[in-house]
């Protein structure tokens, strides 16, 4: 029998995860823009880690679709086409509508309280302007929504979609007037869930994604060449 070493260095794994998250945030907030080349040496200097951690993080983000690698060019921030974005939002609306309904029907009182806290944090972060805190608050809201649905497969699929949609989230939220409507839509979702109204929660979730899609797709239509 072959003796296989299964021990994992926790510190290295933790460091890799931190690097992944830093890069995700940089992409989500627009610091790294679609089509921008990511140079390992520069990333190492910016983040303060070695090339191994950066390379591992880049591989993970490539698997998530946030980064695309090209021969002789290396990794670049992925560009989502209009058609891809439309498909992403369509599937996301279906899954989040289902998640919202499941939350309303199966979520615990503690889940609902956590969701209400997430809504308040999102509203507060919106007042401080669009940036890292706002993105984090929006992600926290969706985490609560997925947790409350009590469906591990919905979480897995939505997490994958959210990673890709982060490429467009700042685009939609920064359009004039969108943030105010987004807050109202999220409050509607939370109220429907709190009232245990599954169909209304599903409709509110779908409406929220449809409105975000409308803004993001309009932006892509007007700002994509070709």
């Amino acid at each position: 029998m072959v003796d296989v070493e299964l021990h994992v260095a926790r510190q290295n794994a933790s460091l890799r995860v931190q690097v992944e998250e830093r890069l995700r945030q940089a992409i989500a907030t627009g610091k790294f823009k679609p089509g921008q080349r990511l140079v390992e040496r520069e990333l190492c200097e910016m983040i303060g880690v070695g090339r191994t951690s950066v390379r591992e993080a880049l591989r993970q983000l490539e698997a998530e679709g946030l980064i695309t690698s090209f021969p002789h060019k290396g990794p670049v921030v992925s560009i989502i086409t209009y058609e891809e974005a439309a498909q992403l939002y369509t599937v996301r609306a279906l899954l989040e509508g289902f998640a919202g309904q499941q939350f309303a029907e199966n979520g615990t009182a503690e889940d609902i309280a956590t969701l209400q806290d997430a809504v308040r944090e999102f509203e507060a972060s919106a007042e401080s302007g669009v940036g890292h805190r706002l993105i984090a608050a929006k992600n926290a809201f969706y985490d609560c929504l997925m947790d409350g649905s009590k469906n591990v497969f919905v979480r897995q699929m939505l997490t994958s979609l959210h990673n890709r949609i982060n490429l467009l989230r700042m685009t939609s939220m920064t359009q004039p007037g969108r943030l105010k409507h987004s807050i109202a839509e999220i409050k509607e979702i939370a109220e429907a869930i709190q009232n245990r109204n599954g169909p209304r929660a599903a409709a509110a979730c779908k409406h929220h994604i449809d409105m975000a899609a409308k803004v993001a797709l309009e932006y892509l239509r007007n700002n994509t060449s070709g």
Side-chain angles (χ1 to χ4, degrees):
M1 180 180 294
V2 178
D3 186 15
V4 179
E5 175 59 58
L6 296 178
H7 179 73
V8 175
R10 294 189 178 188
Q11 185 174 4
N12 291 339
S14 176
L15 180 61
R16 188 200 71 239
V17 170
Q18 290 181 57
V19 175
E20 290 173 12
E21 187 56 31
R22 293 293 188 278
L23 292 175
R24 283 195 198 93
Q25 290 173 0
I27 292 171
T29 57
K31 180 177 179 63
F32 297 150
K33 302 183 183 303
Q36 180 176 340
R37 186 176 174 225
L38 300 176
V39 181
E40 284 186 8
R41 175 180 51 79
E42 295 176 355
L43 293 176
C44 290
E45 293 174 357
M46 293 172 64
I47 303 173
V49 297
R51 287 203 171 189
T52 298
S53 296
V54 168
R55 285 174 182 170
E56 290 175 347
L58 289 174
R59 280 197 292 268
Q60 176 59 32
L61 297 190
E62 184 174 6
E64 295 174 6
L66 287 175
I67 289 172
T68 304
S69 290
F70 295 96
H72 312 300
K73 187 176 182 180
V76 301
V77 179
S78 297
I79 297 174
I80 294 184
T81 66
Y82 180 93
E83 291 75 17
E84 289 171 336
Q87 293 172 17
L88 275 172
Y89 278 113
T90 296
V91 175
R92 185 182 167 199
L94 290 171
L95 286 173
E96 286 195 14
F98 177 76
Q101 179 159 354
Q102 290 295 294
F103 193 153
E105 296 173 357
N106 302 318
T108 66
E110 184 178 356
D111 291 330
I112 293 174
T114 301
L115 185 70
Q116 294 290 350
D117 288 340
V119 171
R120 284 189 286 270
E121 169 57 20
F122 179 67
E123 188 171 16
S125 65
E127 295 177 358
S128 65
V130 176
H132 172 259
R133 182 185 175 191
L134 185 63
I135 290 290
K138 194 70 177 288
N139 287 338
F141 172 82
Y142 290 127
D143 276 342
C144 292
L145 186 68
M146 291 184 289
D147 283 343
S149 75
K150 306 303 181 186
N151 189 310
V152 65
F153 299 106
V154 166
R155 166 172 274 285
Q156 290 175 355
M157 289 184 283
L158 278 176
T159 296
S160 176
L161 290 178
H162 285 168
N163 286 337
R164 294 298 305 278
I165 221 71
N166 270 339
L167 291 164
L168 297 171
R169 186 166 290 160
M170 285 295 287
T171 295
S172 63
M173 286 200 298
T174 54
Q175 299 311 299
R178 175 58 198 150
L179 192 52
K180 179 181 68 174
H181 291 298
S182 184
I183 292 170
E185 291 157 14
I186 282 178
K187 285 183 174 180
E188 176 71 15
I189 293 170
E191 182 180 346
I193 289 173
Q194 185 173 25
N195 292 333
R196 300 293 186 178
N197 190 327
R200 183 182 160 204
C205 286
K206 185 177 184 303
H207 175 70
H208 175 56
I209 303 308
D210 287 345
M211 292 301 99
K214 180 179 179 181
V215 173
L217 292 176
E218 183 66 21
Y219 176 87
L220 287 176
R221 185 184 293 114
N222 294 332
N223 292 275
T224 303
S225 60

